[in-house]
C-alpha cells in the first residue's frame, strides 16, 4: 500500500509540475506577445512620424521648380547636340543635294523614247 500511495503522491506532484509548466509557458507567451505588440506600436509610431515629416516636406516643395531644372537641363542638352552636330548635318544635306545622278535609268530612257512622259 505504501508504494501505491507513493506512486499516487508522485503522480500528483508530476501533474502539478506539468500544470505549473503549462501555466509558466502561457505566461511567457503572453508576455512575449505583449512585448512584440509594444515594439510594433513603437515602430508604427516612428514610421508614421517619418511619413508625416516626408509628406510635409513634399507638400512644401514646388513641383514646378524641379520640372524647371529638368527642363533647363534638357534644353542645354539639345543646344549642345545642335552645336556638336550642326556641321556634319549641313555637310550631309549638301552632299545629298549635290550628289545627283546625271545618267538616266533604262526605264527613264524607254519612257522618253515612247513619249509617255
Amino acid at each position: 500500500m505504501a508504494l501505491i500511495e507513493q506512486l499516487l503522491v508522485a503522480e500528483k506532484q508530476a501533474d502539478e509540475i506539468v500544470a505549473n509548466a503549462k501555466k509558466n509557458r502561457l505566461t511567457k507567451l503572453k508576455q512575449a506577445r505583449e512585448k512584440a505588440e509594444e515594439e510594433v506600436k513603437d515602430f508604427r509610431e516612428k514610421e508614421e512620424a517619418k511619413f508625416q515629416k516626408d509628406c510635409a516636406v513634399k507638400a512644401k516643395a514646388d513641383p514646378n521648380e524641379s520640372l524647371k531644372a529638368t527642363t533647363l537641363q534638357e534644353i542645354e542638352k539639345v543646344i549642345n547636340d545642335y552645336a556638336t552636330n550642326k556641321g556634319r548635318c549641313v555637310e550631309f544635306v549638301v552632299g545629298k543635294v549635290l550628289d545627283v545622278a546625271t545618267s538616266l535609268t533604262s526605264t527613264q530612257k524607254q519612257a522618253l523614247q515612247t513619249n509617255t512622259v
Side-chain angles (χ1 to χ4, degrees), residues 47-58:
E47 289 299 312
E48 182 66 27
K50 181 179 174 184
F51 176 74
Q52 293 300 332
K53 180 181 173 187
D54 290 345
C55 283
V57 168
K58 289 181 180 180

Side-chain angles (χ1 to χ4, degrees), residues 36-111:
E37 287 174 356
E38 184 177 319
E39 288 176 3
V40 167
K41 180 182 173 187
D42 291 343
F43 177 76
R44 186 174 287 131
E45 287 174 356
K46 287 178 186 176
E47 289 299 312
E48 182 66 27
K50 181 179 174 184
F51 176 74
Q52 293 300 332
K53 180 181 173 187
D54 290 345
C55 283
V57 168
K58 289 181 180 180
K60 290 179 184 177
D62 185 14
N64 291 331
E65 194 62 37
S66 64
L67 183 61
K68 280 183 185 178
T70 305
T71 304
L72 289 176
Q73 289 175 348
E74 293 297 323
I75 290 172
E76 191 65 33
K77 284 182 185 178
V78 169
I79 291 171
N80 288 337
D81 286 346
Y82 171 76
T84 302
N85 298 318
K86 179 174 75 170
R88 287 191 296 168
C89 183
V90 168
E91 287 177 23
F92 176 79
V93 171
V94 169
K96 291 296 178 182
V97 168
L98 295 178
D99 184 25
V100 176
T102 56
S103 62
L104 296 175
T105 64
S106 61
T107 307
Q108 291 170 333
K109 288 177 186 177
Q110 186 180 7

Side-chain angles (χ1 to χ4, degrees), residues 16-27:
E16 289 175 3
I17 290 172
V18 169
N20 280 337
K22 286 182 181 180
K23 182 180 173 184
N24 289 340
R25 185 175 133 258
L26 290 175
T27 303

